[in-house]
Amino acid sequence: MAIDTLRRLTLLCVLCLAQALVLNHIHLFGCATPLLYVYLVLAFPLGYPKWALLLWSFAMGMAVDMFSNTPGCAAASLTLVGAAQPYFFALFVPADAAEAPRPSLRALGLMKYSFYATALTLLHCVAFFALEMFSFFHWLRWLECAAGSTLVTVLLVLTIEGARKR
């Protein structure tokens, strides 16, 4: 258990630093910003306690908010994704599974993992940009930012998953 916590804490620090130092400065076509820190929440296994998942999600969101000057946007949207993740991932796991699987490209396959990652990332991006803009007067800009950021983030998540050791 301590090793798992240490790995997650290391992943939290690495993703937070990557987001704050590199990814926040990338704006493809003026609207697509990679929000890779959502990968932390995507990687939780099915049997993980929901309270701990919400705590990790909120902590990651707060850390990103502190370094990105987005007060509460990342924390709220990532906590929403953390609340939805166990229920959404359960849709992909067979009922007779012997153990609680980890969501990965290898365990689910390309199509299922892509759908899983895209849906949760889209939920995160929609909530994040709705809170960041806090207005629907520019709804076309909001949709561009959410769709573009989702696409770029999912491509990065699939790249990381493809590069992981098997």
Side-chain angles (χ1 to χ4, degrees):
M1 185 69 172
I3 297 293
D4 184 52
T5 304
L6 188 60
R7 284 183 184 159
R8 291 196 195 284
L9 190 59
T10 304
L11 182 61
L12 185 143
C13 291
V14 167
L15 288 174
C16 185
L17 285 173
Q19 187 68 40
L21 298 176
V22 178
L23 298 175
N24 279 345
H25 302 288
I26 298 173
H27 303 289
L28 298 175
F29 308 112
C31 62
T33 302
L35 303 173
L36 189 59
Y37 56 89
V38 75
Y39 181 70
L40 178 78
V41 179
L42 293 176
F44 279 97
L46 187 60
Y48 207 79
K50 290 175 181 63
W51 65 268
L53 178 59
L54 288 174
L55 191 63
W56 277 105
S57 301
F58 182 74
M60 181 65 182
M62 283 302 294
V64 169
D65 280 335
M66 284 191 295
F67 292 112
S68 300
N69 197 21
T70 55
C73 295
S77 59
L78 205 58
T79 304
L80 175 67
V81 172
Q85 190 266 356
Y87 302 107
F88 196 78
F89 182 56
L91 297 173
F92 297 101
V93 178
D96 59 348
E99 61 185 46
R102 295 187 177 275
S104 67
L105 194 60
R106 183 175 176 211
L108 295 178
L110 180 63
M111 291 304 290
K112 285 184 180 180
Y113 188 78
S114 297
F115 184 71
Y116 165 75
T118 302
L120 287 179
T121 304
L122 180 64
L123 175 66
H124 175 264
C125 289
V126 165
F128 180 83
F129 287 108
L131 291 171
E132 187 182 49
M133 291 180 182
F134 208 68
S135 169
F136 290 111
F137 288 114
H138 306 286
W139 62 272
L140 191 57
R141 175 81 174 149
W142 173 68
L143 285 176
E144 287 173 348
C145 289
S149 295
T150 298
L151 181 65
V152 172
T153 303
V154 168
L155 287 175
L156 283 174
V157 166
L158 289 176
T159 302
I160 289 172
E161 276 295 316
R164 284 182 56 198
K165 291 191 312 187
R166 298 190 180 249

